[in-house]
Amino acid sequence: LIKDGVLAEDEKQKMELWARREGIPEACSHQGGQVHKFDLSFPAARYYDLVPLLREHAAVLEGRIKVFGFGHVGDGNIHINLVALKHHNEDHREEIKMISEFIFDWTSRNGGSISAEHGIGQAKLKELSLSKGPVEIDLMRSFKSLLDPYGILNPGKVLI
């Protein structure tokens, strides 16, 4: 599963590795375009499959969109950042929408989750049912109610 890796030998090297990891989203934001972020998870057997598929998309091959994939192999979490590059004021909304739909559909069909460590968020609420069934959503709602019986934590958001 893992072909290459680095294990920190001391605290200094650990901090350097984390700085590199934490710098990836910032580096994406300096690519000269709008960043669209995805926080997904997959079974280990499918972990490395999606990014190469995305890089075969016409908009990517033609240089209008860049794809960055990074994450945590151990728990199946992968962050995908799509950067819609600005070329002559092009509008990439339709391409991003089409690629996003592909990502959500592919994730659902391959046993993944469209929301890994950062929660579902309001932007992807419509897609929640692609990776969670009604029983799971009801359980999430019950758990939220248990932890926040008065609805004061992030009121009016996602699981009310």
Side-chain angles (χ1 to χ4, degrees), residues 51-151:
V51 171
L53 290 174
L54 294 173
R55 288 185 175 150
E56 293 173 6
H57 188 280
V60 176
L61 293 172
E62 294 168 10
R64 295 189 306 273
I65 295 174
K66 286 187 176 182
V67 177
F68 298 89
F70 57 99
H72 338 151
V73 176
D75 65 3
N77 183 210
I78 186 165
H79 302 281
I80 293 178
N81 285 200
L82 302 178
V83 182
L85 300 171
K86 296 176 185 172
H87 295 291
H88 311 292
N89 296 321
E90 287 180 282
D91 185 350
H92 298 296
R93 278 182 277 189
E94 284 304 312
E95 287 177 318
I96 292 294
K97 181 180 180 211
M98 187 174 67
I99 295 171
S100 297
E101 289 171 357
F102 173 80
I103 289 171
F104 294 138
D105 180 62
W106 192 92
T107 300
S108 176
R109 286 185 292 109
N110 288 280
S113 174
I114 64 163
S115 178
E117 68 180 320
H118 295 293
I120 191 67
Q122 290 181 293
K124 296 179 179 124
L125 184 56
K126 290 185 292 186
E127 288 81 14
L128 179 60
S129 63
L130 291 173
S131 61
K132 303 294 180 217
V135 172
E136 291 170 302
I137 293 172
D138 284 344
L139 186 59
M140 291 164 66
R141 233 181 230 107
S142 296
F143 192 64
K144 163 86 163 89
S145 179
L146 179 67
L147 295 175
D148 184 21
Y150 303 109

Side-chain angles (χ1 to χ4, degrees), residues 122 125 144 153-160:
Q122 290 181 293
L125 184 56
K144 163 86 163 89
L153 302 174
N154 213 6
K157 306 288 184 187
V158 186
L159 297 172
I160 301 167

